Amino acid sequence: MEHLGTQILETERLLLRPFVLEDAPAMFKNWAGDPEVTTYLMWPTHTDEGVSRAVLEDWVSQYADKAYYQWAVTLKSNGGEPIGSMSVVKRDDRVEMAHIGYCIGRPWWRQGITSEALAAVMAYLFEEVGVNRIEARHDPRNPGSGKVMVKCGMRCEGTMRQADWNNQGICDTVFYAILREDYQTEQKQQK
């Protein structure tokens, strides 16, 4: 693996870019301050813009680390205002693994935006960084998140009972993953 940091990624509809401190109002308004969005997440709903700004200060301070990956998900059509985030929330360089987490504001659910962003991040991590395994997980009460993973070619590896926690308390967790060889095979089949 060769860590390259949070690079700008572009898709048909999206621009994934590093966050800036000025994104705090949009972060709070578009997803972090919405308790429905954070229902199955591991961090609490932000109570005000100040909380969002403090989180962004931490994230922005880490961009100098080439092994840090945290993207603002923006629509090209809305002037670059973030509508969500996507990041490598955990990694293990020994097995060349990246664990992805994501969050998108409610007005943009069920439009294929999260899948489009995840596909771009997966391509970058496999093709540029050299990751061998990309994984993600979700609470089974949030099946939409699992559908995003499946749409991007991940395979369900199983459910671990009461092995995780989120804003609902202790919960089951469903793991999905894709290996570089699976990704490469799917890319060849699409050509």
Side-chain angles (χ1 to χ4, degrees):
M1 281 185 4
E2 180 184 348
H3 289 295
L4 301 170
T6 306
Q7 302 291 319
I8 294 173
L9 307 177
E10 190 172 346
T11 70
E12 184 178 333
R13 298 182 292 171
L14 306 175
L15 188 68
L16 281 70
R17 60 163 175 80
F19 279 96
V20 294
L21 295 180
E22 293 75 21
D23 291 328
M27 179 183 191
F28 177 71
K29 175 185 75 164
N30 290 339
W31 75 92
D34 184 341
E36 191 169 340
V37 171
T38 61
T39 299
Y40 300 109
L41 299 181
M42 299 174 85
W43 47 268
T45 307
H46 294 187
T47 53
D48 57 50
E49 260 181 49
V51 175
S52 297
R53 184 171 183 79
V55 168
L56 288 179
E57 286 172 355
D58 176 52
W59 291 356
V60 169
S61 74
Q62 296 185 64
Y63 282 128
D65 179 356
K66 292 297 182 193
Y68 182 72
Y69 302 95
Q70 178 72 255
W71 287 274
V73 178
T74 70
L75 290 170
K76 290 178 180 176
S77 62
N78 78 348
E81 179 178 292
I83 61 168
S85 65
M86 186 162 296
S87 62
V88 173
V89 295
K90 181 176 134 186
R91 53 174 235 285
D92 185 336
D93 290 358
R94 294 168 300 173
V95 294
E96 300 177 334
M97 180 277 292
H99 188 108
I100 306 294
Y102 48 79
C103 184
I104 301 291
R106 248 188 311 155
W108 301 278
W109 288 359
R110 295 176 195 86
Q111 297 177 34
I113 291 169
T114 309
S115 301
E116 190 173 327
L118 179 57
V121 167
M122 287 171 51
Y124 172 68
L125 293 173
F126 280 134
E127 296 170 12
E128 305 296 328
V129 177
V131 167
N132 184 57
R133 173 185 168 88
I134 294 175
E135 64 181 37
R137 71 184 191 277
H138 73 92
D139 184 315
R141 294 170 291 183
N142 184 18
S145 189
K147 289 177 183 177
V148 168
M149 298 168 200
V150 169
K151 189 174 181 180
C152 289
M154 291 184 171
R155 298 178 187 165
C156 182
E157 294 188 330
T159 301
M160 296 176 66
R161 297 179 311 136
Q162 297 181 17
D164 212 347
W165 60 271
N166 59 33
N167 288 327
Q168 300 303 300
I170 295 172
C171 63
D172 294 351
T173 188
V174 185
F175 272 85
Y176 289 78
I178 184 170
L179 301 178
R180 181 173 40 223
E181 62 192 54
D182 302 328
Y183 171 80
Q184 290 170 335
T185 299
E186 287 179 14
Q187 294 303 303
K188 287 178 187 172
Q189 291 173 350
Q190 291 176 6
K191 291 183 180 180

